[in-house]
């Protein structure tokens, strides 16, 4: 697996742990439907939350939320629709983006964008 894939998987695990520390319940990780993948699916305060995780080793090329384009959002919604159908979910949902940033000293920081799109 390529190094950027390893970094992405590690970032997803870190984001899941960070969100669980904030009271989120992890339901699924790396849910796939056709060509789409949802990094994290969690429950929080009665909501089903679909999370796209983006890792950046700095902000020189932009922030994480800037890298979730229209095509990616469309795929995420398609996969979420399938998950909702499979699990017979009838309550509210939300799409979030979590940016995982590693600074020069190796410190990990998070930026959470709740209700980022839909």
């Amino acid at each position: 697996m390529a190094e950027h894939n390893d970094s992405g998987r590690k970032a997803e695990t870190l984001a899941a742990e960070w969100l669980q520390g904030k009271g989120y319940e992890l339901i699924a990780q790396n849910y796939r439907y056709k060509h789409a993948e949802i990094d994290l699916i969690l429950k929080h305060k009665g909501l089903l939350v679909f999370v796209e995780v983006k890792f950046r080793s700095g902000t020189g090329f932009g922030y994480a939320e800037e890298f979730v384009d229209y095509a990616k959002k469309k795929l995420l919604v398609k996969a979420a629709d399938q998950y909702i159908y499979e699990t017979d979910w009838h309550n509210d949902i939300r799409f979030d983006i979590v940016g995982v940033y590693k600074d020069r000293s190796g410190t990990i920081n998070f930026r959470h964008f709740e209700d980022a799109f839909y």
Side-chain angles (χ1 to χ4, degrees):
M1 186 177 283
E3 183 179 338
H4 71 277
N5 290 336
D6 290 340
S7 297
R9 295 286 184 229
K10 178 71 172 162
E12 290 166 9
T13 299
L14 290 170
E17 292 169 356
W18 181 71
L19 288 167
Q20 288 172 351
K22 293 176 66 174
Y24 287 72
E25 176 190 353
L26 182 63
I27 304 301
Q29 192 166 347
N30 304 118
Y31 171 80
R32 296 189 67 82
Y33 175 67
K34 295 186 179 182
H35 296 293
E37 179 182 0
I38 301 172
D39 295 330
L40 304 172
I41 302 173
L42 306 106
K43 285 184 186 174
H44 188 246
K45 297 182 179 178
L47 292 173
L48 191 61
V49 184
F50 300 97
V51 179
E52 175 67 9
V53 178
K54 289 293 185 187
F55 175 75
R56 291 287 170 263
S57 57
T59 57
F61 292 105
Y63 290 99
E65 67 276 13
E66 298 175 76
F67 291 88
V68 183
D69 62 11
Y70 174 78
K72 180 65 174 179
K73 291 174 186 176
K74 190 174 173 181
L75 284 172
L76 289 168
V77 169
K78 187 176 189 176
D81 285 343
Q82 179 62 27
Y83 184 84
I84 290 164
Y85 172 76
E86 286 176 9
T87 61
D88 197 31
W89 182 261
H90 292 284
N91 296 320
D92 288 336
I93 66 166
R94 188 176 80 205
F95 291 89
D96 292 2
I97 299 171
V98 172
V100 180
Y101 299 91
K102 184 176 182 181
D103 67 19
R104 289 186 178 134
S105 66
T107 302
I108 300 293
N109 296 294
F110 300 93
R111 283 181 53 155
H112 186 188
F113 300 91
E114 294 181 5
D115 208 10
F117 63 91
Y118 188 57

